[in-house]
Amino acid sequence: MRVALDDLARLRIEGRPRGIPSVCSAHPIALRAALRHGSETGAKVLIEATCNQVNHRGGYTGMSPADFAALVGGLARAERCPEDRIILGGDHLGPNPWRDLPAEAAMAEAERMVAAYVAAGFRKLHLDASMGCAGEPAALDDTATARRAARLAAVAETAARAAGGPPPLYIIGTEVPPPGGADHALDAITPTAPEAARRTIAVHRAVFAEAGLAEALDRVLGLVVQPGVEFGNRNVIAYRRERAQGLAAVLAEEPKLVFEAHSTDYQGAAPLSELVGDGFAILKVGPELTFVLREALYALDLIASDLLPDYGDRPLLRAMEALMLDRPGDWRRHYDGDAAERRLLRHYSLSDRIRYYWTAPEARAAVDRLVAALAGRRIPLPLIWQHLPGAAHFADRPLEPEEVLIWRLRRSLATYHDACRN
Protein backbone atom coordinates (compact mmCIF):
# COMPACT_ATOMS: atom_id res chain seq x y z
CA MET A 1 0.00 0.00 0.00
CA ARG A 2 1.45 3.36 -1.04
CA VAL A 3 0.76 5.81 1.78
CA ALA A 4 0.45 9.54 1.05
CA LEU A 5 0.81 12.29 3.63
CA ASP A 6 -2.89 13.04 3.67
CA ASP A 7 -3.69 9.35 4.30
CA LEU A 8 -1.91 9.27 7.65
CA ALA A 9 -4.62 10.73 9.90
CA ARG A 10 -7.37 8.61 8.31
CA LEU A 11 -5.37 5.41 8.72
CA ARG A 12 -4.74 6.25 12.37
CA ILE A 13 -8.47 6.79 12.98
CA GLU A 14 -9.23 3.49 11.25
CA GLY A 15 -6.90 1.68 13.63
CA ARG A 16 -4.32 1.00 10.93
CA PRO A 17 -1.56 3.46 11.89
CA ARG A 18 1.06 3.98 9.24
CA GLY A 19 3.94 6.40 8.95
CA ILE A 20 6.37 7.92 6.50
CA PRO A 21 10.09 8.59 7.01
CA SER A 22 11.29 12.09 6.25
CA VAL A 23 14.83 12.09 4.84
CA CYS A 24 16.45 15.34 5.98
CA SER A 25 19.73 15.36 4.11
CA ALA A 26 21.27 17.08 1.11
CA HIS A 27 23.99 14.47 0.59
CA PRO A 28 23.56 12.88 -2.86
CA ILE A 29 24.30 9.37 -1.57
CA ALA A 30 21.62 9.68 1.13
CA LEU A 31 19.17 10.98 -1.47
CA ARG A 32 20.04 8.15 -3.88
CA ALA A 33 19.44 5.58 -1.16
CA ALA A 34 16.00 7.02 -0.40
CA LEU A 35 15.07 7.29 -4.07
CA ARG A 36 16.22 3.76 -4.84
CA HIS A 37 13.92 2.48 -2.12
CA GLY A 38 11.03 4.34 -3.73
CA SER A 39 11.96 3.00 -7.14
CA GLU A 40 12.14 -0.61 -5.99
CA THR A 41 9.17 -0.68 -3.61
CA GLY A 42 6.74 1.88 -5.00
CA ALA A 43 6.71 3.74 -1.65
CA LYS A 44 6.42 7.50 -1.38
CA VAL A 45 9.75 9.25 -0.82
CA LEU A 46 9.60 12.30 1.46
CA ILE A 47 12.74 14.43 1.22
CA GLU A 48 13.07 17.65 3.19
CA ALA A 49 15.44 20.61 3.20
CA THR A 50 15.80 23.03 6.10
CA CYS A 51 15.68 26.81 5.99
CA ASN A 52 19.38 27.11 6.90
CA GLN A 53 20.46 24.42 4.47
CA VAL A 54 18.52 25.59 1.39
CA ASN A 55 16.94 29.00 0.83
CA HIS A 56 16.56 31.74 -1.77
CA ARG A 57 20.00 33.06 -0.81
CA GLY A 58 21.67 29.66 -1.10
CA GLY A 59 21.84 28.47 2.51
CA TYR A 60 24.90 26.66 3.78
CA THR A 61 24.72 24.17 0.89
CA GLY A 62 24.80 26.97 -1.68
CA MET A 63 21.51 25.69 -3.10
CA SER A 64 18.26 27.52 -3.71
CA PRO A 65 15.01 25.52 -3.49
CA ALA A 66 15.04 25.23 -7.29
CA ASP A 67 18.64 23.90 -7.17
CA PHE A 68 17.71 21.33 -4.54
CA ALA A 69 14.64 20.23 -6.49
CA ALA A 70 16.81 19.85 -9.61
CA LEU A 71 19.35 17.76 -7.65
CA VAL A 72 16.62 15.44 -6.39
CA GLY A 73 15.06 15.26 -9.86
CA GLY A 74 18.34 14.30 -11.51
CA LEU A 75 19.06 11.62 -8.92
CA ALA A 76 15.49 10.33 -9.24
CA ARG A 77 15.92 9.88 -12.97
CA ALA A 78 19.20 8.05 -12.43
CA GLU A 79 17.50 5.75 -9.91
CA ARG A 80 14.36 5.39 -12.08
CA CYS A 81 12.13 6.73 -9.31
CA PRO A 82 8.97 8.26 -10.84
CA GLU A 83 8.31 11.89 -10.02
CA ASP A 84 4.87 11.13 -8.60
CA ARG A 85 6.45 9.10 -5.78
CA ILE A 86 8.52 12.06 -4.51
CA ILE A 87 7.33 14.62 -1.97
CA LEU A 88 9.57 17.62 -1.35
CA GLY A 89 9.28 19.34 2.00
CA GLY A 90 10.66 22.45 3.65
CA ASP A 91 11.56 22.27 7.34
CA HIS A 92 11.52 25.14 9.88
CA LEU A 93 10.49 27.63 7.21
CA GLY A 94 10.55 31.00 8.90
CA PRO A 95 12.91 33.80 9.89
CA ASN A 96 15.51 31.59 11.62
CA PRO A 97 18.39 32.23 9.15
CA TRP A 98 17.88 35.99 9.56
CA ARG A 99 16.89 36.24 13.23
CA ASP A 100 19.71 38.70 13.90
CA LEU A 101 17.73 41.22 11.81
CA PRO A 102 14.72 43.24 12.99
CA ALA A 103 11.52 41.20 12.78
CA GLU A 104 10.09 42.89 9.68
CA ALA A 105 13.31 42.44 7.71
CA ALA A 106 13.66 38.81 8.83
CA MET A 107 10.04 38.03 7.97
CA ALA A 108 10.44 39.64 4.54
CA GLU A 109 13.32 37.25 3.88
CA ALA A 110 11.23 34.34 5.18
CA GLU A 111 8.40 35.29 2.81
CA ARG A 112 10.77 35.29 -0.16
CA MET A 113 12.12 31.92 0.95
CA VAL A 114 8.67 30.34 1.27
CA ALA A 115 7.66 31.65 -2.14
CA ALA A 116 10.83 30.15 -3.63
CA TYR A 117 10.13 26.79 -2.01
CA VAL A 118 6.59 26.65 -3.37
CA ALA A 119 7.64 27.82 -6.84
CA ALA A 120 10.24 25.01 -6.92
CA GLY A 121 7.60 22.35 -6.26
CA PHE A 122 7.92 21.82 -2.52
CA ARG A 123 4.51 20.78 -1.23
CA LYS A 124 4.99 19.96 2.49
CA LEU A 125 5.80 23.10 4.45
CA HIS A 126 6.67 23.21 8.14
CA LEU A 127 5.91 26.78 9.17
CA ASP A 128 8.14 27.72 12.09
CA ALA A 129 8.19 31.37 13.12
CA SER A 130 8.70 30.72 16.83
CA MET A 131 12.12 32.30 17.20
CA GLY A 132 12.61 35.89 18.25
CA CYS A 133 14.42 38.32 15.99
CA ALA A 134 16.61 41.31 16.93
CA GLY A 135 15.35 42.93 20.11
CA GLU A 136 12.78 40.20 20.79
CA PRO A 137 12.68 37.34 23.32
CA ALA A 138 14.47 34.17 22.19
CA ALA A 139 11.13 32.38 21.79
CA LEU A 140 7.80 33.97 20.92
CA ASP A 141 4.43 33.12 22.45
CA ASP A 142 1.83 31.03 20.62
CA THR A 143 -0.14 33.99 19.30
CA ALA A 144 2.85 35.83 17.83
CA THR A 145 4.17 32.58 16.37
CA ALA A 146 0.81 31.73 14.80
CA ARG A 147 0.40 35.21 13.30
CA ARG A 148 3.76 34.98 11.60
CA ALA A 149 3.02 31.44 10.46
CA ALA A 150 -0.27 32.66 8.94
CA ARG A 151 1.62 35.42 7.16
CA LEU A 152 3.92 32.81 5.61
CA ALA A 153 0.97 30.56 4.72
CA ALA A 154 -0.65 33.43 2.84
CA VAL A 155 2.53 33.83 0.78
CA ALA A 156 2.61 30.08 0.12
CA GLU A 157 -1.01 30.05 -1.03
CA THR A 158 -0.38 32.90 -3.46
CA ALA A 159 2.79 31.28 -4.79
CA ALA A 160 1.01 27.95 -5.32
CA ARG A 161 -1.76 29.61 -7.33
CA ALA A 162 0.80 31.47 -9.42
CA ALA A 163 2.71 28.25 -10.11
CA GLY A 164 -0.44 26.36 -11.03
CA GLY A 165 0.57 23.42 -8.86
CA PRO A 166 -1.24 21.60 -6.06
CA PRO A 167 -1.87 23.59 -2.89
CA PRO A 168 0.60 23.18 -0.03
CA LEU A 169 0.21 20.86 2.93
CA TYR A 170 1.24 22.38 6.25
CA ILE A 171 2.88 21.32 9.48
CA ILE A 172 2.65 23.66 12.47
CA GLY A 173 4.27 23.62 15.88
CA THR A 174 7.77 24.30 17.04
CA GLU A 175 8.57 22.22 20.10
CA VAL A 176 11.54 20.35 18.69
CA PRO A 177 14.98 19.26 19.93
CA PRO A 178 18.00 21.40 19.02
CA PRO A 179 18.74 21.06 15.29
CA GLY A 180 21.22 18.23 14.78
CA GLY A 181 20.88 16.97 18.35
CA ALA A 182 22.03 18.21 21.72
CA ASP A 183 25.62 19.08 22.55
CA HIS A 184 25.90 17.16 25.81
CA ALA A 185 25.08 13.84 27.44
CA LEU A 186 21.38 13.53 28.20
CA ASP A 187 19.45 11.71 30.90
CA ALA A 188 15.84 12.29 29.88
CA ILE A 189 13.65 14.43 27.64
CA THR A 190 10.19 15.55 28.77
CA PRO A 191 7.44 15.05 26.18
CA THR A 192 5.32 18.01 25.15
CA ALA A 193 2.58 18.66 27.69
CA PRO A 194 -0.85 17.76 26.29
CA GLU A 195 -2.25 21.18 27.18
CA ALA A 196 0.59 22.86 25.28
CA ALA A 197 -0.23 20.84 22.15
CA ARG A 198 -3.92 21.71 22.47
CA ARG A 199 -3.11 25.40 22.89
CA THR A 200 -0.85 25.45 19.82
CA ILE A 201 -3.59 23.88 17.71
CA ALA A 202 -6.31 26.19 19.03
CA VAL A 203 -4.31 29.39 18.59
CA HIS A 204 -3.27 28.52 15.04
CA ARG A 205 -6.87 27.72 14.14
CA ALA A 206 -8.12 31.02 15.48
CA VAL A 207 -5.36 33.07 13.86
CA PHE A 208 -5.61 31.35 10.45
CA ALA A 209 -9.40 31.79 10.44
CA GLU A 210 -9.06 35.46 11.36
CA ALA A 211 -6.58 35.90 8.49
CA GLY A 212 -9.03 34.42 5.96
CA LEU A 213 -6.95 31.25 5.54
CA ALA A 214 -9.68 28.67 6.13
CA GLU A 215 -8.67 26.64 3.05
CA ALA A 216 -5.05 26.58 4.16
CA LEU A 217 -6.17 25.57 7.64
CA ASP A 218 -7.92 22.52 6.18
CA ARG A 219 -4.54 21.43 4.78
CA VAL A 220 -2.72 21.51 8.12
CA LEU A 221 -2.00 17.81 8.50
CA GLY A 222 0.38 17.64 11.42
CA LEU A 223 1.80 19.18 14.57
CA VAL A 224 5.45 19.08 15.62
CA VAL A 225 5.76 17.91 19.22
CA GLN A 226 8.44 16.42 21.45
CA PRO A 227 7.61 12.76 22.13
CA GLY A 228 10.59 12.39 24.47
CA VAL A 229 13.31 11.38 22.00
CA GLU A 230 16.71 12.92 21.44
CA PHE A 231 20.36 12.21 20.84
CA GLY A 232 23.43 14.03 22.07
CA ASN A 233 27.04 13.74 21.03
CA ARG A 234 27.48 10.51 22.98
CA ASN A 235 24.09 8.95 23.78
CA VAL A 236 20.49 8.46 22.69
CA ILE A 237 17.26 8.93 24.63
CA ALA A 238 14.90 6.25 23.34
CA TYR A 239 11.13 6.63 23.13
CA ARG A 240 9.25 5.54 26.26
CA ARG A 241 5.67 5.32 25.20
CA GLU A 242 4.28 5.25 28.75
CA ARG A 243 5.60 8.81 29.24
CA ALA A 244 3.90 10.09 26.08
CA GLN A 245 0.41 8.62 26.45
CA GLY A 246 -1.13 11.89 27.62
CA LEU A 247 0.29 13.61 24.56
CA ALA A 248 -0.77 10.80 22.23
CA ALA A 249 -4.32 11.04 23.62
CA VAL A 250 -4.62 14.56 22.17
CA LEU A 251 -4.94 12.99 18.73
CA ALA A 252 -8.21 11.35 19.79
CA GLU A 253 -9.63 14.89 19.75
CA GLU A 254 -8.05 15.72 16.37
CA PRO A 255 -9.17 13.29 13.66
CA LYS A 256 -7.44 15.25 10.88
CA LEU A 257 -4.00 15.51 12.49
CA VAL A 258 -0.93 13.41 13.18
CA PHE A 259 2.22 14.28 15.07
CA GLU A 260 5.60 14.93 13.46
CA ALA A 261 8.61 13.77 15.46
CA HIS A 262 12.03 15.36 14.94
CA SER A 263 15.42 13.91 15.92
CA THR A 264 14.26 10.28 15.72
CA ASP A 265 17.79 9.31 14.60
CA TYR A 266 19.31 6.20 16.22
CA GLN A 267 16.02 5.13 17.87
CA GLY A 268 16.03 1.62 16.42
CA ALA A 269 13.23 -0.63 15.28
CA ALA A 270 11.06 -1.07 18.40
CA PRO A 271 10.91 2.61 19.50
CA LEU A 272 10.23 3.76 15.94
CA SER A 273 7.39 1.27 15.58
CA GLU A 274 5.91 2.41 18.89
CA LEU A 275 6.12 6.04 17.79
CA VAL A 276 4.14 5.28 14.64
CA GLY A 277 1.62 3.24 16.60
CA ASP A 278 1.07 6.18 18.97
CA GLY A 279 0.39 8.67 16.16
CA PHE A 280 3.86 10.11 15.56
CA ALA A 281 3.44 9.33 11.89
CA ILE A 282 6.15 11.51 10.32
CA LEU A 283 9.63 10.46 11.47
CA LYS A 284 12.48 12.85 10.73
CA VAL A 285 15.94 11.33 10.18
CA GLY A 286 19.10 13.15 9.11
CA PRO A 287 22.33 12.88 11.10
CA GLU A 288 21.96 9.10 11.42
CA LEU A 289 22.15 8.81 7.64
CA THR A 290 25.35 10.81 7.30
CA PHE A 291 26.75 9.06 10.39
CA VAL A 292 26.41 5.64 8.70
CA LEU A 293 27.68 7.14 5.45
CA ARG A 294 30.83 8.22 7.30
CA GLU A 295 30.95 4.80 8.95
CA ALA A 296 30.99 3.09 5.55
CA LEU A 297 33.49 5.53 4.05
CA TYR A 298 35.87 5.00 6.96
CA ALA A 299 35.47 1.23 6.65
CA LEU A 300 36.42 1.44 2.98
CA ASP A 301 39.34 3.69 3.96
CA LEU A 302 40.55 0.95 6.33
CA ILE A 303 40.08 -1.74 3.68
CA ALA A 304 42.09 0.25 1.13
CA SER A 305 44.79 0.92 3.75
CA ASP A 306 45.10 -2.79 4.50
CA LEU A 307 44.82 -3.96 0.89
CA LEU A 308 46.77 -1.47 -1.20
CA PRO A 309 50.42 -0.71 -0.31
CA ASP A 310 50.42 2.56 -2.24
CA TYR A 311 47.17 3.92 -0.76
CA GLY A 312 48.57 5.04 2.59
CA ASP A 313 47.39 4.84 6.18
CA ARG A 314 43.78 6.03 6.35
CA PRO A 315 44.22 9.09 4.13
CA LEU A 316 40.49 9.85 4.11
CA LEU A 317 40.34 10.14 7.89
CA ARG A 318 43.51 12.22 7.89
CA ALA A 319 42.13 14.54 5.21
CA MET A 320 38.90 15.07 7.18
CA GLU A 321 40.82 15.73 10.39
CA ALA A 322 42.98 18.35 8.68
CA LEU A 323 39.95 19.96 7.09
CA MET A 324 38.01 20.20 10.36
CA LEU A 325 41.00 21.60 12.22
CA ASP A 326 41.52 24.18 9.49
CA ARG A 327 37.84 25.23 9.54
CA PRO A 328 36.49 24.59 13.05
CA GLY A 329 33.38 26.75 12.80
CA ASP A 330 30.94 23.88 12.33
CA TRP A 331 32.08 21.78 15.31
CA ARG A 332 34.06 23.81 17.88
CA ARG A 333 31.20 25.10 20.02
CA HIS A 334 29.39 21.75 19.92
CA TYR A 335 32.14 19.50 21.32
CA ASP A 336 33.66 19.57 24.81
CA GLY A 337 36.32 17.60 26.69
CA ASP A 338 40.07 17.47 26.31
CA ALA A 339 41.91 17.43 22.98
CA ALA A 340 41.70 13.64 22.62
CA GLU A 341 37.95 13.57 23.30
CA ARG A 342 37.27 16.43 20.90
CA ARG A 343 39.21 14.55 18.22
CA LEU A 344 37.01 11.50 18.72
CA LEU A 345 33.87 13.64 18.60
CA ARG A 346 34.97 15.33 15.38
CA HIS A 347 34.78 11.96 13.67
CA TYR A 348 32.35 9.85 15.69
CA SER A 349 29.86 12.14 17.46
CA LEU A 350 26.23 11.12 17.01
CA SER A 351 25.46 14.72 16.12
CA ASP A 352 27.75 14.14 13.13
CA ARG A 353 29.03 17.64 12.62
CA ILE A 354 31.45 16.17 10.08
CA ARG A 355 28.51 16.12 7.66
CA TYR A 356 29.06 19.84 6.99
CA TYR A 357 32.49 19.09 5.48
CA TRP A 358 31.81 16.44 2.83
CA THR A 359 31.13 19.04 0.14
CA ALA A 360 34.50 20.77 0.63
CA PRO A 361 36.95 20.29 -2.27
CA GLU A 362 39.48 18.57 0.01
CA ALA A 363 36.87 16.08 1.22
CA ARG A 364 35.56 15.39 -2.28
CA ALA A 365 39.11 14.80 -3.52
CA ALA A 366 39.84 12.33 -0.69
CA VAL A 367 36.59 10.44 -1.30
CA ASP A 368 37.22 10.36 -5.05
CA ARG A 369 40.71 8.93 -4.43
CA LEU A 370 39.25 6.24 -2.17
CA VAL A 371 36.56 5.31 -4.69
CA ALA A 372 39.08 5.18 -7.54
CA ALA A 373 41.48 3.04 -5.48
CA LEU A 374 38.86 0.38 -4.74
CA ALA A 375 36.72 0.48 -7.88
CA GLY A 376 36.81 -2.91 -9.58
CA ARG A 377 39.00 -4.47 -6.87
CA ARG A 378 38.11 -7.86 -5.44
CA ILE A 379 38.04 -7.53 -1.66
CA PRO A 380 38.81 -10.77 0.23
CA LEU A 381 35.98 -11.97 2.45
CA PRO A 382 38.04 -11.85 5.69
CA LEU A 383 38.84 -8.17 5.06
CA ILE A 384 35.14 -7.41 4.52
CA TRP A 385 34.32 -9.27 7.74
CA GLN A 386 36.94 -7.25 9.59
CA HIS A 387 35.80 -3.78 8.52
CA LEU A 388 32.26 -4.12 7.10
CA PRO A 389 30.37 -6.81 9.04
CA GLY A 390 27.19 -7.72 7.22
CA ALA A 391 28.57 -6.82 3.79
CA ALA A 392 29.88 -10.24 2.79
CA HIS A 393 27.92 -10.11 -0.46
CA PHE A 394 30.41 -7.49 -1.71
CA ALA A 395 33.42 -9.80 -1.21
CA ASP A 396 35.39 -11.55 -3.96
CA ARG A 397 33.81 -9.70 -6.88
CA PRO A 398 34.61 -6.39 -8.56
CA LEU A 399 33.71 -3.72 -6.06
CA GLU A 400 31.53 -0.69 -6.75
CA PRO A 401 32.26 1.50 -3.71
CA GLU A 402 29.22 3.74 -4.14
CA GLU A 403 27.00 0.65 -4.01
CA VAL A 404 28.50 -0.16 -0.62
CA LEU A 405 27.60 3.32 0.62
CA ILE A 406 24.04 3.12 -0.68
CA TRP A 407 23.65 -0.36 0.83
CA ARG A 408 24.70 0.92 4.26
CA LEU A 409 22.31 3.86 4.13
CA ARG A 410 19.47 1.65 2.99
CA ARG A 411 19.99 -0.58 6.01
CA SER A 412 19.21 2.39 8.25
CA LEU A 413 16.32 3.55 6.10
CA ALA A 414 14.86 0.02 6.12
CA THR A 415 14.42 0.31 9.89
CA TYR A 416 12.30 3.41 9.35
CA HIS A 417 10.25 1.93 6.53
CA ASP A 418 9.58 -1.24 8.52
CA ALA A 419 8.45 0.83 11.51
CA CYS A 420 6.21 2.97 9.30
CA ARG A 421 4.40 -0.17 8.18
CA ASN A 422 3.82 -0.71 11.93
Side-chain angles (χ1 to χ4, degrees):
M1 177 184 179
R2 186 183 303 173
V3 177
L5 284 170
D6 43 11
D7 292 329
L8 296 172
R10 174 181 58 79
L11 290 168
R12 176 182 60 79
I13 290 295
E14 292 174 357
R16 299 184 293 148
R18 299 289 291 274
I20 186 167
S22 171
V23 174
C24 301
S25 177
H27 198 289
I29 297 293
L31 299 177
R32 283 184 61 190
L35 292 162
R36 186 172 297 182
H37 179 86
S39 174
E40 293 182 359
T41 67
K44 290 285 188 179
V45 183
L46 174 57
I47 293 171
E48 302 208 45
T50 68
C51 61
N52 291 320
Q53 182 185 58
V54 172
N55 59 54
H56 62 296
R57 294 189 177 275
Y60 68 73
T61 63
M63 286 189 283
S64 69
D67 295 331
F68 186 82
L71 171 65
V72 172
L75 293 170
R77 288 188 292 275
E79 294 295 336
R80 296 184 176 87
C81 182
E83 184 178 340
D84 63 1
R85 292 183 196 166
I86 303 167
I87 307 165
L88 292 179
D91 202 18
H92 297 291
L93 300 187
N96 187 61
W98 307 282
R99 64 186 184 275
D100 57 336
L101 299 177
E104 275 306 306
M107 283 298 295
E109 293 286 354
E111 289 178 332
R112 286 189 278 272
M113 175 179 64
V114 166
Y117 266 85
V118 174
F122 287 72
R123 189 164 181 236
K124 176 186 178 289
L125 308 180
H126 171 212
L127 303 177
D128 182 2
S130 63
M131 64 293 300
C133 299
E136 296 182 326
L140 303 181
D141 61 33
D142 279 326
T143 300
T145 296
R147 285 176 177 159
R148 290 182 184 178
R151 179 172 165 180
L152 296 176
V155 170
E157 295 289 298
T158 299
R161 287 192 294 270
L169 302 172
Y170 296 104
I171 302 291
I172 59 172
T174 60
E175 190 163 344
V176 299
D183 293 339
H184 53 281
L186 302 168
D187 296 319
I189 295 290
T190 302
T192 300
E195 57 272 20
R198 293 186 180 100
R199 184 170 59 251
T200 296
I201 295 166
V203 170
H204 276 76
R205 281 186 176 142
V207 168
F208 272 54
E210 181 184 327
L213 292 167
E215 290 186 9
L217 186 62
D218 283 342
R219 282 180 264 107
V220 174
L221 56 83
L223 174 71
V224 174
V225 291
Q226 171 53 273
V229 304
E230 179 56 296
F231 59 93
N233 285 326
R234 304 169 180 83
N235 71 325
V236 179
I237 302 296
Y239 181 56
R240 292 172 54 189
R241 68 188 322 177
E242 71 277 5
R243 301 187 66 215
Q245 289 311 294
L247 175 59
V250 172
L251 290 177
E253 309 158 16
E254 299 292 344
K256 294 185 177 181
L257 296 181
V258 296
F259 288 142
E260 176 170 287
H262 291 222
S263 288
T264 67
D265 308 71
Y266 312 108
Q267 285 292 307
L272 290 173
S273 184
E274 290 177 349
L275 280 163
V276 173
D278 291 343
F280 301 91
I282 302 171
L283 303 176
K284 294 291 188 82
V285 56
E288 178 182 342
L289 300 179
T290 45
F291 181 93
V292 300
L293 173 69
R294 190 270 319 145
E295 177 187 275
L297 282 166
Y298 277 15
L300 293 175
D301 195 37
L302 282 162
I303 287 171
S305 296
D306 285 347
L307 185 67
L308 307 172
D310 296 334
Y311 178 71
D313 179 19
R314 303 195 70 182
L316 175 61
L317 179 145
R318 294 174 185 276
M320 298 307 293
E321 173 73 353
L323 178 58
M324 288 186 286
L325 288 175
D326 186 53
R327 304 175 201 172
D330 286 312
W331 63 266
R332 177 176 283 164
R333 68 184 178 87
H334 300 277
Y335 297 156
D336 56 13
D338 60 20
E341 186 165 9
R342 287 197 302 274
R343 182 182 184 279
L344 283 175
L345 289 173
R346 280 195 294 274
H347 296 275
Y348 304 114
S349 165
L350 295 176
S351 70
D352 194 54
R353 306 296 300 183
I354 197 174
R355 70 186 186 274
Y356 294 99
Y357 294 88
W358 292 116
T359 57
E362 301 93 324
R364 288 202 301 266
V367 170
D368 288 347
R369 179 172 179 247
L370 169 62
V371 169
L374 290 179
R377 297 273 184 177
R378 294 180 182 271
I379 311 301
L381 178 61
L383 199 53
I384 290 282
W385 278 350
Q386 175 66 37
H387 297 304
L388 269 173
H393 55 291
F394 290 108
D396 297 316
R397 62 185 178 89
L399 188 70
E400 297 179 59
E402 283 200 356
E403 291 301 309
V404 176
L405 305 178
I406 292 171
W407 163 80
R408 183 61 190 91
L409 280 148
R410 289 192 67 184
R411 284 183 68 185
S412 282
L413 285 172
T415 304
Y416 279 82
H417 288 290
D418 290 346
C420 286
R421 289 193 293 271
N422 201 38

